[in-house]
């Protein structure tokens, strides 16, 4: 089983749509979780951290299920500017706390 | 001010050459990383390093070596470049614990 797995995508949705991304991780002792966004030919940037109780930031909602080792990201009312690749990131237990990235899911929001 | 900066942004070189990519962070972070993003866009960790410990991903060829002159810098040296080394290399830093990482703009390496 791969360390961090995501929906392969791509997701092509119209403006205003609600879209959900899923992610699973293999290390049950993982400590922290993030969603990053990467635009074409740019560096990854933090979108939001994911907390055990779930958290929301505007149109974005992140959820964590430790028992199922599952993370999700929900985007409501999609905008054209949301088009990007969304990366699920897990902090694995270890002396360095290495951040392991999923392969990412590409989102294209169309007019 | 750029938090994590890499140079050069683009690097084109011939097979067999030796090259270096520099990375500097001004965030005062304890841990720095090198990631490789290949043509399939998969971000793969290569090294993580703080002033106490270097952790190397065992799949990374020993032609790749990190050099850290001080806490704010982690440079990447690559010997005997191969065509398969062509990729985008990202430097990142974080404070440690459960904090997020900040990335440099990336270095697009093309080996011809």
């Amino acid at each position: 089983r791969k360390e961090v797995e995501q929906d392969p995508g791509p997701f092509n949705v119209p403006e205003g749509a609600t879209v959900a991304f899923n992610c699973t991780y293999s290390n049950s002792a993982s400590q922290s979780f993030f969603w990053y966004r990467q635009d074409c030919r740019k560096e990854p940037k933090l979108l939001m951290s994911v907390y055990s109780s779930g958290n929301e930031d505007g149109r974005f909602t992140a959820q964590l299920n430790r028992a199922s080792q599952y993370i999700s990201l929900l985007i409501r009312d999609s905008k054209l500017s949301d088009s990007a690749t969304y990366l699920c990131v897990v902090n694995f237990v270890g002396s360095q706390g290495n951040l392991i990235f999923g392969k990412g899911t590409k989102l294209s929001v169309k007019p | 001010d750029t938090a994590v900066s890499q140079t050069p942004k683009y690097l084109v070189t011939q097979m067999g050459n030796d090259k270096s990519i520099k990375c500097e962070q001004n965030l005062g972070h304890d841990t720095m990383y090198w990631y490789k993003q290949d043509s399939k866009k998969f971000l793969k960790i290569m090294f993580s390093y703080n002033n106490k410990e270097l952790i190397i991903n065992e799949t990374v060829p020993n032609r790749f070596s990190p050099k850290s002159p001080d806490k704010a810098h982690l440079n990447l040296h690559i010997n005997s470049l191969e065509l398969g080394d062509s990729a985008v290399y990202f430097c990142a830093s974080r404070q440690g614990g459960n904090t997020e990482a900040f990335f440099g703009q990336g270095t697009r390496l093309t080996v011809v």
Side-chain angles (χ1 to χ4, degrees):
Chain A
R1 184 179 175 183
K2 293 180 182 176
E3 293 177 304
V4 180
E5 289 198 73
Q6 294 185 240
D7 290 344
F11 283 51
N12 298 307
V13 303
E15 271 188 291
T18 296
V19 61
F21 301 139
N22 303 315
C23 172
T24 57
Y25 59 94
S26 60
N27 188 333
S28 60
S30 298
Q31 295 178 318
S32 53
F33 311 88
F34 309 91
W35 283 101
Y36 274 69
R37 169 188 171 138
Q38 186 173 24
D39 292 288
C40 187
R41 302 180 77 87
K42 298 286 188 180
E43 73 274 22
K45 291 184 178 179
L46 179 71
L47 177 66
M48 60 195 302
S49 301
V50 186
Y51 302 119
S52 297
S53 55
N55 48 299
E56 188 174 305
D57 183 1
R59 297 180 294 109
F60 300 85
T61 301
Q63 301 244 323
L64 168 66
N65 184 324
R66 286 187 182 270
S68 302
Q69 295 176 210
Y70 170 90
I71 307 160
S72 66
L73 176 68
L74 184 75
I75 306 176
R76 291 180 300 278
D77 189 22
S78 299
K79 311 292 184 190
L80 296 177
S81 59
D82 293 335
S83 297
T85 296
Y86 290 82
L87 301 161
C88 176
V89 185
V90 176
N91 181 23
F92 277 27
V93 174
S95 61
Q96 299 286 351
N98 288 332
L99 288 177
I100 306 300
F101 283 72
K103 290 191 175 183
T105 303
K106 187 173 182 180
L107 172 66
S108 292
V109 182
K110 307 293 185 184
Chain B
D1 286 342
T2 303
V4 182
S5 59
Q6 294 178 230
T7 54
K9 191 173 182 180
Y10 299 97
L11 181 56
V12 181
T13 187
Q14 291 186 328
M15 284 175 57
N17 284 350
D18 302 338
K19 291 293 179 184
S20 296
I21 305 172
K22 294 185 178 181
C23 178
E24 175 182 4
Q25 54 97 2
N26 62 6
L27 298 167
H29 287 167
D30 293 329
T31 305
M32 296 183 72
Y33 302 87
W34 278 104
Y35 284 85
K36 177 181 180 181
Q37 189 169 43
D38 58 27
S39 58
K40 296 182 179 179
K41 309 299 183 186
F42 180 39
L43 263 170
K44 184 176 180 181
I45 191 166
M46 301 177 69
F47 304 100
S48 63
Y49 183 79
N50 66 17
N51 57 4
K52 298 176 183 177
E53 191 173 5
L54 169 68
I55 295 180
I56 302 171
N57 185 324
E58 65 274 9
T59 66
V60 175
N62 58 14
R63 299 181 294 104
F64 291 79
S65 58
K67 307 284 186 192
S68 180
D70 55 57
K71 183 179 167 181
H73 296 82
L74 184 66
N75 304 324
L76 182 65
H77 294 267
I78 316 171
N79 295 325
S80 303
L81 278 155
E82 301 177 357
L83 293 176
D85 297 334
S86 296
V88 181
Y89 292 84
F90 286 101
C91 176
S93 74
R94 67 195 294 228
Q95 184 54 33
N98 294 321
T99 61
E100 73 269 25
F102 294 82
F103 282 78
Q105 291 180 310
T107 297
R108 186 171 295 275
L109 171 66
T110 303
V111 182
V112 297

